[in-house]
Amino acid sequence: MSSDYRQQLEEMYDSVVGEYSDRAVAVLEEVVRMADVHQDVEWSFYAREALVQSATYSGHGDKALVAFSWILAQIDKNPEYEDEFEMDHLLWVYKWIADSLLGFSHISKAQILAIVEDMDRRYRKQGLSLRAVENIRYKVACEFAEEENVQKHFSRWETLPKDGSQDCLACETNFVVNHYLFREKNLEQALLIARPLLEGEQSCHSVPGRTQSNLMLALLKAGRMDEADQMQRKSEGYASHNGDRIHSAGKHLQFLALTDQLSRALRIFEKMVAFAITSREERNRHMFFRGARLLFMKLMDQGHRTVKLRLATDFPVACDEQNQYPVPELVDWFTHEAERVAHLFDARNETVSYGEELIEDLALLKESYPLST
Amino acid sequence: MQKYQFQIHLGGIIDLLSHHLYSGPQVFIRELMQNGVDAIQGRKLIDEEHQGRLDIQVVKATGNQQPSLVFEDNGIGLTEEEVHRFLATIGESSKRADLAKQRNDFIGQFGIGLLSCFMIADEILMITKSARQGDHPAVEWRGKSDGTYEVRLLETHVSPGTRVYLRASQGMENYFDIEQVGKLVHHFGNLLPIPIDLSEGDRRKQINDRRPPWEGVYYSSDEERRSYLEYGRELFDQQFIDYIPLRTETGGITGVAYVLSQATRPKMKSRHRVHLKGMLLSDQVENLLPDWAVFVRCVVNAEQLRPVASREGFYENEELEATRTVLGETLRNYLKGLADQAPQRLQEIINLHHMAICSLASEDKECFRVFGDFIYFETTLGRLTLGECRQRNGILRYVSTVDEFRQIAQIAASQGLCILNAGYVYNQELLSMLKQVDPDVQVDKLDAASLTNHLEDLTLDEREGAFLLLRTADLTLHPYRVASDIKKFEPASLPTIYTSNEQANFARQTRLTKDIVDDTWGGILNSFENEFTNSQYAGLCFNLKNPLIKRLTKVEETSVLKQAIEMLYVQALLMGHHPLSDKEMALLNQGLLGMIESVVEKKEDPNNEV
């Protein structure tokens, strides 16, 4: 094979590295293939490392996971790579991967626990703090509704040292905010802890956008409409931006449907639905579908039989030539999908919470949440 | 109740300044020059005719005496009251914003600037005489780095202005070496409009005697060009292919942008040399130009932008934003001008800085209109500019990934089809921009897998003939998740074409990875394969125009067919740059061995010779 493949690899790599999009993922997959064909181990690692990041940040957790497992396997087979490869960075990334597994209903609890054990073992071997591992254990306990373990892992997590292997400061703050919001149900405390995020002192790729998207719904349910509205407006840009944000986008659809801001909701829907439809990140997609379901139900409640949408053509519900979509069919499709996936998760988790959320959504729809303006 | 005040620890403040505010001790030179320039500015307010001058003397080390520096200006000078005041203002607040505010005030700035000298000297002696109050005696101020100072009035006659005496502290002697001082003065002050003299004993020279090219008057454009490019080469120690004079009202910018002669990559940052009112702020300023303008390096002087407290960069404020926009506009106009007057130079710049130009054209309609046609694409007919593609074809066809492009390149080329590879960054944005700019152009996206649909079909008879081959192929390739098809296409030398899409590729990658991971991960990848990718088939399309395939349709022995199909499949994978799994590698090896054996057998059996 020609000797200039490396130059080609570099060019392709340079053209997309640091970019988080479907295109960047496609190019990096190609770089991986070429490096593998040429048995260029260095580039096989290098390209996969970039692919893990780009895929994670553009909503392709499945692709990140496959590339990541390849890297782990190669290092296990050839321990000499450990010196060349940034193990600390690799383990830092491990928490994204472990966390993402929770979001696929076809991955069993036993499989997830085995991965957490593997992560634990590798962190110990590298001499790292187990703070990040404990964080994942907490999330596992939340997903499987093991309330006692939730508390246990949270307390343990608090005492474990920070050595750089943990999440970034903003993400950690967001983590504590979520704990008070979803576990302790203490909105005041959550808002207090969220202050450095909301005031811009701490931020990262996904925070405070994600924090605000959570807080807005909690504020809405508490009837604090002005604050809720503010949170929504501040985080809308975040939530309607890229394929890794469909979870937050779903919350915005829900919020805007409940507060009767349907035209704004439809705009987000149009922008994000293509990401959601093609996404294989099941739990994130589910949140989007939940929001979409409420949106179209609200439209139907108000007597709209059709709605005009500008969408990519491969959408599961058909439209007429004027891009008019039948609202009842949209409601049916999103309801069906949401119920199907909720059932899959509840079956895996041996819980009922996914199903209950869908029922609660309907109850919320009956309430009225008028904005003051 | 008794009120106390915190004691400000001056040593701590100096440490803060030198280690956290400034980039290093060398800035004391700049700070002293800035004080001098400001003082001269002040004096001009009361005496328009006043000729400012800065004078720096270096005194070499003698015996046990450390080397020293005398820094003199003939500016406005300070009264006793002002001398007391300048130190008092420091440390009034610890906020950076306030520090910056004090810097806008002459007295406050003077004190902060003077303090920076403690980075290189333990003691500062200053003699100053105010030009504002003629009868006010000269003041001597002696400050120590522990924060104490003495002031006394002098009876001797001193001309208005300020003189600062510094003696090197241990380890800082380098900053008192005349070569070093000369370099630093030139580095920071070469654009200052006030003459700066440097002397040591009898040696004396003016540092900033050369004015920048944008202040020059030229009699011919050749002369101007020479002058600009030479200045750039000396300043940055690199060659440039062109220059773009810069002048804006906003921010009060004058200067020049030089076009780099080396290829630039996306996401590179260009670092510019930026002066504020003649004094160098930094030669590492990144936020002066819009992001796409990576292909130039600038040297400029700004009159109005607001510096950060360290005076080593600008505040990211509206004024800077507006300045950036105007400068971007200037660069744009330059490129547009080239399209008219020197298209060859434009093509040269586009070749060197392709990504930067693509980035600009993909977000700016007007720019796209002007030089979109100069941008090149990889196509099945080689590298062509967009203009050439448009001339050649009524309809522009493209594929959206590099992988698809490779799949179809050979077939398309042999049919003279021009298909663009839009798998690289900006390509698709540029094509959609083309549609916006020229709605009559038809731009179509091709799917590699569907390309085979457009190839010529077989006749019914041919179909019957190929049935066994296809049937065997389906059975043989099923474990590899490949479906087979047969068509007729050019080039006839190509026996097969392997097509796959994003999902099929991912499915393939998942299977390959599954082969090497441990059981824990293997189980998970297995779940993924079952969940998402099991239904994803790649395609292997045989070419009936190929002589070998034609012969295979005549073969009736399925074991022979199977072996041939396996080899063709592996060959197609290799041609398509797909890494082989262990199983596929084994196919390749078995197939090769089988072929060698049959060749050897033929040799050994003379009756069988063909």
Side-chain angles (χ1 to χ4, degrees), chain B residues 66-103:
Chain B
Q66 289 279 87
S68 59
L69 263 179
V70 185
F71 201 103
E72 182 177 358
D73 69 65
N74 61 351
I76 189 82
L78 299 172
T79 63
E80 187 187 2
E81 184 268 333
E82 286 169 329
V83 166
H84 282 291
R85 192 146 55 89
F86 75 70
L87 263 185
T89 56
I90 304 166
E92 270 176 354
S93 162
S94 61
K95 282 196 186 155
R96 283 208 165 197
D98 289 356
L99 192 58
K101 206 166 81 196
Q102 284 164 17
R103 276 184 173 271

mmCIF file of all heavy atoms in Angstrom, chain B residues 66-103:
data_model
loop_
_atom_site.group_PDB
_atom_site.id
_atom_site.type_symbol
_atom_site.label_atom_id
_atom_site.label_comp_id
_atom_site.label_asym_id
_atom_site.label_seq_id
_atom_site.Cartn_x
_atom_site.Cartn_y
_atom_site.Cartn_z
ATOM 1 N N GLN B 66 26.664 46.458 41.978
ATOM 2 C CA GLN B 66 25.831 45.838 40.943
ATOM 3 C C GLN B 66 25.612 46.849 39.796
ATOM 4 O O GLN B 66 25.698 48.066 40.024
ATOM 5 C CB GLN B 66 24.463 45.463 41.531
ATOM 6 C CG GLN B 66 24.479 44.306 42.499
ATOM 7 C CD GLN B 66 24.496 42.976 41.760
ATOM 8 O OE1 GLN B 66 25.583 42.491 41.408
ATOM 9 N NE2 GLN B 66 23.344 42.406 41.512
ATOM 10 N N PRO B 67 25.334 46.374 38.580
ATOM 11 C CA PRO B 67 25.058 47.313 37.487
ATOM 12 C C PRO B 67 23.785 48.114 37.777
ATOM 13 O O PRO B 67 22.942 47.682 38.555
ATOM 14 C CB PRO B 67 24.853 46.407 36.277
ATOM 15 C CG PRO B 67 24.436 45.095 36.859
ATOM 16 C CD PRO B 67 25.170 44.978 38.160
ATOM 17 N N SER B 68 23.653 49.265 37.139
ATOM 18 C CA SER B 68 22.448 50.059 37.378
ATOM 19 C C SER B 68 21.939 50.706 36.101
ATOM 20 O O SER B 68 22.600 50.702 35.055
ATOM 21 C CB SER B 68 22.720 51.109 38.455
ATOM 22 O OG SER B 68 23.776 51.937 38.038
ATOM 23 N N LEU B 69 20.740 51.249 36.222
ATOM 24 C CA LEU B 69 20.040 51.870 35.092
ATOM 25 C C LEU B 69 19.505 53.226 35.534
ATOM 26 O O LEU B 69 19.026 53.367 36.659
ATOM 27 C CB LEU B 69 18.812 51.038 34.739
ATOM 28 C CG LEU B 69 18.848 50.011 33.626
ATOM 29 C CD1 LEU B 69 17.493 49.347 33.534
ATOM 30 C CD2 LEU B 69 19.179 50.683 32.308
ATOM 31 N N VAL B 70 19.613 54.215 34.646
ATOM 32 C CA VAL B 70 18.959 55.488 34.913
ATOM 33 C C VAL B 70 17.971 55.711 33.779
ATOM 34 O O VAL B 70 18.331 55.677 32.599
ATOM 35 C CB VAL B 70 19.969 56.651 34.935
ATOM 36 C CG1 VAL B 70 19.247 57.935 35.341
ATOM 37 C CG2 VAL B 70 21.118 56.350 35.885
ATOM 38 N N PHE B 71 16.745 55.944 34.144
ATOM 39 C CA PHE B 71 15.679 56.057 33.154
ATOM 40 C C PHE B 71 15.092 57.460 33.273
ATOM 41 O O PHE B 71 14.546 57.829 34.303
ATOM 42 C CB PHE B 71 14.622 54.999 33.466
ATOM 43 C CG PHE B 71 13.773 54.674 32.296
ATOM 44 C CD1 PHE B 71 13.975 53.513 31.565
ATOM 45 C CD2 PHE B 71 12.760 55.539 31.903
ATOM 46 C CE1 PHE B 71 13.194 53.216 30.478
ATOM 47 C CE2 PHE B 71 11.980 55.256 30.806
ATOM 48 C CZ PHE B 71 12.195 54.093 30.093
ATOM 49 N N GLU B 72 15.218 58.245 32.209
ATOM 50 C CA GLU B 72 14.860 59.651 32.333
ATOM 51 C C GLU B 72 13.854 60.080 31.271
ATOM 52 O O GLU B 72 13.965 59.690 30.111
ATOM 53 C CB GLU B 72 16.138 60.498 32.187
ATOM 54 C CG GLU B 72 15.874 61.980 32.355
ATOM 55 C CD GLU B 72 17.159 62.813 32.270
ATOM 56 O OE1 GLU B 72 18.257 62.219 32.115
ATOM 57 O OE2 GLU B 72 17.055 64.046 32.337
ATOM 58 N N ASP B 73 12.862 60.856 31.691
ATOM 59 C CA ASP B 73 11.970 61.475 30.702
ATOM 60 C C ASP B 73 11.888 62.963 30.974
ATOM 61 O O ASP B 73 12.175 63.409 32.081
ATOM 62 C CB ASP B 73 10.577 60.838 30.763
ATOM 63 C CG ASP B 73 9.827 61.177 32.042
ATOM 64 O OD1 ASP B 73 9.519 62.375 32.240
ATOM 65 O OD2 ASP B 73 9.548 60.249 32.846
ATOM 66 N N ASN B 74 11.512 63.731 29.953
ATOM 67 C CA ASN B 74 11.333 65.174 30.170
ATOM 68 C C ASN B 74 9.838 65.505 30.143
ATOM 69 O O ASN B 74 9.406 66.424 29.475
ATOM 70 C CB ASN B 74 12.132 65.983 29.145
ATOM 71 C CG ASN B 74 11.667 65.688 27.722
ATOM 72 O OD1 ASN B 74 10.870 64.772 27.512
ATOM 73 N ND2 ASN B 74 12.156 66.453 26.759
ATOM 74 N N GLY B 75 9.087 64.725 30.880
ATOM 75 C CA GLY B 75 7.637 64.897 30.909
ATOM 76 C C GLY B 75 7.181 65.834 32.003
ATOM 77 O O GLY B 75 7.943 66.658 32.479
ATOM 78 N N ILE B 76 5.952 65.636 32.453
ATOM 79 C CA ILE B 76 5.290 66.591 33.327
ATOM 80 C C ILE B 76 5.850 66.610 34.751
ATOM 81 O O ILE B 76 5.807 67.621 35.442
ATOM 82 C CB ILE B 76 3.759 66.299 33.343
ATOM 83 C CG1 ILE B 76 2.966 67.387 34.070
ATOM 84 C CG2 ILE B 76 3.458 64.955 33.955
ATOM 85 C CD1 ILE B 76 2.677 68.582 33.228
ATOM 86 N N GLY B 77 6.431 65.486 35.212
ATOM 87 C CA GLY B 77 6.981 65.439 36.565
ATOM 88 C C GLY B 77 5.897 65.413 37.628
ATOM 89 O O GLY B 77 4.709 65.566 37.342
ATOM 90 N N LEU B 78 6.319 65.177 38.890
ATOM 91 C CA LEU B 78 5.343 65.060 39.971
ATOM 92 C C LEU B 78 5.658 66.055 41.097
ATOM 93 O O LEU B 78 6.812 66.365 41.357
ATOM 94 C CB LEU B 78 5.383 63.649 40.564
ATOM 95 C CG LEU B 78 5.058 62.482 39.633
ATOM 96 C CD1 LEU B 78 5.329 61.165 40.341
ATOM 97 C CD2 LEU B 78 3.616 62.545 39.153
ATOM 98 N N THR B 79 4.621 66.505 41.759
ATOM 99 C CA THR B 79 4.795 67.324 42.964
ATOM 100 C C THR B 79 4.898 66.395 44.170
ATOM 101 O O THR B 79 4.631 65.187 44.059
ATOM 102 C CB THR B 79 3.587 68.254 43.164
ATOM 103 O OG1 THR B 79 2.444 67.430 43.374
ATOM 104 C CG2 THR B 79 3.372 69.147 41.957
ATOM 105 N N GLU B 80 5.250 66.954 45.317
ATOM 106 C CA GLU B 80 5.383 66.128 46.509
ATOM 107 C C GLU B 80 4.063 65.438 46.849
ATOM 108 O O GLU B 80 4.014 64.258 47.178
ATOM 109 C CB GLU B 80 5.840 66.982 47.698
ATOM 110 C CG GLU B 80 6.139 66.119 48.910
ATOM 111 C CD GLU B 80 6.427 66.930 50.162
ATOM 112 O OE1 GLU B 80 6.362 68.173 50.116
ATOM 113 O OE2 GLU B 80 6.722 66.312 51.194
ATOM 114 N N GLU B 81 2.985 66.219 46.717
ATOM 115 C CA GLU B 81 1.675 65.655 47.051
ATOM 116 C C GLU B 81 1.348 64.465 46.151
ATOM 117 O O GLU B 81 0.835 63.443 46.592
ATOM 118 C CB GLU B 81 0.625 66.769 46.930
ATOM 119 C CG GLU B 81 -0.776 66.378 47.330
ATOM 120 C CD GLU B 81 -1.589 65.869 46.148
ATOM 121 O OE1 GLU B 81 -1.309 66.272 44.988
ATOM 122 O OE2 GLU B 81 -2.481 65.037 46.386
ATOM 123 N N GLU B 82 1.672 64.601 44.870
ATOM 124 C CA GLU B 82 1.390 63.511 43.929
ATOM 125 C C GLU B 82 2.243 62.278 44.229
ATOM 126 O O GLU B 82 1.799 61.138 44.078
ATOM 127 C CB GLU B 82 1.638 63.972 42.487
ATOM 128 C CG GLU B 82 0.554 64.908 41.978
ATOM 129 C CD GLU B 82 0.921 65.585 40.657
ATOM 130 O OE1 GLU B 82 2.130 65.831 40.405
ATOM 131 O OE2 GLU B 82 0.004 65.861 39.879
ATOM 132 N N VAL B 83 3.471 62.512 44.649
ATOM 133 C CA VAL B 83 4.349 61.403 44.983
ATOM 134 C C VAL B 83 3.764 60.595 46.136
ATOM 135 O O VAL B 83 3.767 59.369 46.123
ATOM 136 C CB VAL B 83 5.761 61.921 45.340
ATOM 137 C CG1 VAL B 83 6.581 60.820 46.007
ATOM 138 C CG2 VAL B 83 6.460 62.437 44.103
ATOM 139 N N HIS B 84 3.218 61.315 47.145
ATOM 140 C CA HIS B 84 2.600 60.591 48.258
ATOM 141 C C HIS B 84 1.377 59.822 47.790
ATOM 142 O O HIS B 84 1.059 58.760 48.295
ATOM 143 C CB HIS B 84 2.173 61.567 49.368
ATOM 144 C CG HIS B 84 3.337 62.005 50.213
ATOM 145 N ND1 HIS B 84 3.985 61.143 51.063
ATOM 146 C CD2 HIS B 84 3.967 63.200 50.313
ATOM 147 C CE1 HIS B 84 4.974 61.798 51.658
ATOM 148 N NE2 HIS B 84 4.983 63.059 51.222
ATOM 149 N N ARG B 85 0.702 60.406 46.825
ATOM 150 C CA ARG B 85 -0.571 59.833 46.399
ATOM 151 C C ARG B 85 -0.403 58.537 45.587
ATOM 152 O O ARG B 85 -1.202 57.617 45.709
ATOM 153 C CB ARG B 85 -1.350 60.875 45.589
ATOM 154 C CG ARG B 85 -2.793 60.520 45.326
ATOM 155 C CD ARG B 85 -3.676 61.767 45.323
ATOM 156 N NE ARG B 85 -3.216 62.782 44.384
ATOM 157 C CZ ARG B 85 -3.621 62.825 43.102
ATOM 158 N NH1 ARG B 85 -4.454 61.923 42.651
ATOM 159 N NH2 ARG B 85 -3.182 63.769 42.309
ATOM 160 N N PHE B 86 0.649 58.505 44.771
ATOM 161 C CA PHE B 86 0.654 57.386 43.821
ATOM 162 C C PHE B 86 0.760 56.035 44.516
ATOM 163 O O PHE B 86 0.185 55.056 44.087
ATOM 164 C CB PHE B 86 1.689 57.555 42.701
ATOM 165 C CG PHE B 86 3.123 57.316 43.052
ATOM 166 C CD1 PHE B 86 3.586 56.037 43.344
ATOM 167 C CD2 PHE B 86 4.040 58.360 43.009
ATOM 168 C CE1 PHE B 86 4.916 55.817 43.621
ATOM 169 C CE2 PHE B 86 5.369 58.134 43.287
ATOM 170 C CZ PHE B 86 5.807 56.859 43.610
ATOM 171 N N LEU B 87 1.463 56.010 45.651
ATOM 172 C CA LEU B 87 1.571 54.720 46.334
ATOM 173 C C LEU B 87 0.311 54.411 47.119
ATOM 174 O O LEU B 87 -0.061 53.257 47.275
ATOM 175 C CB LEU B 87 2.778 54.709 47.254
ATOM 176 C CG LEU B 87 4.009 54.070 46.637
ATOM 177 C CD1 LEU B 87 5.125 53.994 47.655
ATOM 178 C CD2 LEU B 87 3.698 52.690 46.085
ATOM 179 N N ALA B 88 -0.316 55.504 47.588
ATOM 180 C CA ALA B 88 -1.511 55.292 48.394
ATOM 181 C C ALA B 88 -2.619 54.629 47.593
ATOM 182 O O ALA B 88 -3.417 53.864 48.139
ATOM 183 C CB ALA B 88 -1.995 56.617 48.957
ATOM 184 N N THR B 89 -2.655 54.904 46.295
ATOM 185 C CA THR B 89 -3.758 54.351 45.500
ATOM 186 C C THR B 89 -3.599 52.856 45.248
ATOM 187 O O THR B 89 -4.575 52.164 45.030
ATOM 188 C CB THR B 89 -3.868 55.042 44.128
ATOM 189 O OG1 THR B 89 -2.612 54.915 43.483
ATOM 190 C CG2 THR B 89 -4.230 56.492 44.289
ATOM 191 N N ILE B 90 -2.353 52.401 45.322
ATOM 192 C CA ILE B 90 -2.158 50.975 45.061
ATOM 193 C C ILE B 90 -2.718 50.172 46.209
ATOM 194 O O ILE B 90 -2.578 50.534 47.360
ATOM 195 C CB ILE B 90 -0.670 50.639 44.945
ATOM 196 C CG1 ILE B 90 -0.056 51.508 43.882
ATOM 197 C CG2 ILE B 90 -0.466 49.169 44.609
ATOM 198 C CD1 ILE B 90 1.418 51.487 43.948
ATOM 199 N N GLY B 91 -3.294 49.088 45.915
ATOM 200 C CA GLY B 91 -3.768 48.218 46.968
ATOM 201 C C GLY B 91 -5.039 48.740 47.614
ATOM 202 O O GLY B 91 -5.488 48.202 48.616
ATOM 203 N N GLU B 92 -5.646 49.778 47.049
ATOM 204 C CA GLU B 92 -6.931 50.222 47.563
ATOM 205 C C GLU B 92 -7.965 49.133 47.387
ATOM 206 O O GLU B 92 -8.897 48.999 48.139
ATOM 207 C CB GLU B 92 -7.405 51.477 46.802
ATOM 208 C CG GLU B 92 -6.931 52.758 47.445
ATOM 209 C CD GLU B 92 -7.320 53.967 46.627
ATOM 210 O OE1 GLU B 92 -7.857 53.790 45.513
ATOM 211 O OE2 GLU B 92 -7.076 55.085 47.106
ATOM 212 N N SER B 93 -7.790 48.394 46.356
ATOM 213 C CA SER B 93 -8.699 47.294 46.115
ATOM 214 C C SER B 93 -7.909 46.148 45.515
ATOM 215 O O SER B 93 -6.898 46.350 44.867
ATOM 216 C CB SER B 93 -9.788 47.729 45.142
ATOM 217 O OG SER B 93 -10.397 46.590 44.589
ATOM 218 N N SER B 94 -8.402 44.945 45.756
ATOM 219 C CA SER B 94 -7.682 43.809 45.215
ATOM 220 C C SER B 94 -8.305 43.351 43.903
ATOM 221 O O SER B 94 -7.855 42.420 43.288
ATOM 222 C CB SER B 94 -7.731 42.665 46.218
ATOM 223 O OG SER B 94 -9.065 42.304 46.421
ATOM 224 N N LYS B 95 -9.378 44.032 43.513
ATOM 225 C CA LYS B 95 -10.056 43.576 42.297
ATOM 226 C C LYS B 95 -9.279 43.967 41.060
ATOM 227 O O LYS B 95 -8.783 45.089 40.958
ATOM 228 C CB LYS B 95 -11.458 44.176 42.218
ATOM 229 C CG LYS B 95 -12.439 43.472 43.104
ATOM 230 C CD LYS B 95 -13.845 43.840 42.705
ATOM 231 C CE LYS B 95 -14.849 43.249 43.674
ATOM 232 N NZ LYS B 95 -16.080 44.009 43.704
ATOM 233 N N ARG B 96 -9.221 43.051 40.133
ATOM 234 C CA ARG B 96 -8.482 43.305 38.917
ATOM 235 C C ARG B 96 -9.069 44.458 38.129
ATOM 236 O O ARG B 96 -8.355 45.243 37.536
ATOM 237 C CB ARG B 96 -8.487 42.067 38.023
ATOM 238 C CG ARG B 96 -7.533 41.043 38.499
ATOM 239 C CD ARG B 96 -7.032 40.208 37.377
ATOM 240 N NE ARG B 96 -5.865 39.495 37.873
ATOM 241 C CZ ARG B 96 -4.979 38.918 37.133
ATOM 242 N NH1 ARG B 96 -5.108 38.949 35.835
ATOM 243 N NH2 ARG B 96 -3.952 38.306 37.649
ATOM 244 N N ALA B 97 -10.389 44.544 38.154
ATOM 245 C CA ALA B 97 -11.031 45.597 37.371
ATOM 246 C C ALA B 97 -10.591 46.963 37.900
ATOM 247 O O ALA B 97 -10.337 47.893 37.137
ATOM 248 C CB ALA B 97 -12.541 45.467 37.454
ATOM 249 N N ASP B 98 -10.481 47.065 39.247
ATOM 250 C CA ASP B 98 -10.069 48.337 39.820
ATOM 251 C C ASP B 98 -8.621 48.642 39.492
ATOM 252 O O ASP B 98 -8.247 49.784 39.264
ATOM 253 C CB ASP B 98 -10.260 48.307 41.339
ATOM 254 C CG ASP B 98 -11.737 48.326 41.692
ATOM 255 O OD1 ASP B 98 -12.543 48.441 40.744
ATOM 256 O OD2 ASP B 98 -12.071 48.227 42.875
ATOM 257 N N LEU B 99 -7.829 47.597 39.469
ATOM 258 C CA LEU B 99 -6.435 47.765 39.101
ATOM 259 C C LEU B 99 -6.365 48.368 37.701
ATOM 260 O O LEU B 99 -5.606 49.297 37.432
ATOM 261 C CB LEU B 99 -5.734 46.410 39.139
ATOM 262 C CG LEU B 99 -4.212 46.426 39.067
ATOM 263 C CD1 LEU B 99 -3.640 47.236 40.202
ATOM 264 C CD2 LEU B 99 -3.676 45.003 39.116
ATOM 265 N N ALA B 100 -7.214 47.841 36.830
ATOM 266 C CA ALA B 100 -7.221 48.344 35.463
ATOM 267 C C ALA B 100 -7.689 49.798 35.442
ATOM 268 O O ALA B 100 -7.199 50.614 34.663
ATOM 269 C CB ALA B 100 -8.131 47.485 34.597
ATOM 270 N N LYS B 101 -8.633 50.134 36.336
ATOM 271 C CA LYS B 101 -9.144 51.502 36.373
ATOM 272 C C LYS B 101 -8.038 52.466 36.815
ATOM 273 O O LYS B 101 -7.862 53.538 36.254
ATOM 274 C CB LYS B 101 -10.345 51.577 37.325
ATOM 275 C CG LYS B 101 -11.301 52.696 36.976
ATOM 276 C CD LYS B 101 -12.629 52.543 37.685
ATOM 277 C CE LYS B 101 -12.535 53.043 39.100
ATOM 278 N NZ LYS B 101 -13.671 52.585 39.932
ATOM 279 N N GLN B 102 -7.301 52.034 37.827
ATOM 280 C CA GLN B 102 -6.208 52.882 38.290
ATOM 281 C C GLN B 102 -5.190 53.135 37.200
ATOM 282 O O GLN B 102 -4.537 54.161 37.155
ATOM 283 C CB GLN B 102 -5.513 52.217 39.480
ATOM 284 C CG GLN B 102 -6.315 52.325 40.758
ATOM 285 C CD GLN B 102 -5.820 51.342 41.794
ATOM 286 O OE1 GLN B 102 -4.722 50.817 41.684
ATOM 287 N NE2 GLN B 102 -6.643 51.099 42.788
ATOM 288 N N ARG B 103 -5.107 52.151 36.308
ATOM 289 C CA ARG B 103 -4.146 52.302 35.237
ATOM 290 C C ARG B 103 -4.567 53.367 34.238
ATOM 291 O O ARG B 103 -3.758 53.857 33.478
ATOM 292 C CB ARG B 103 -3.970 50.978 34.502
ATOM 293 C CG ARG B 103 -2.974 50.065 35.167
ATOM 294 C CD ARG B 103 -2.813 48.841 34.324
ATOM 295 N NE ARG B 103 -1.747 47.974 34.803
ATOM 296 C CZ ARG B 103 -0.490 48.100 34.408
ATOM 297 N NH1 ARG B 103 -0.133 49.027 33.559
ATOM 298 N NH2 ARG B 103 0.421 47.272 34.876
#
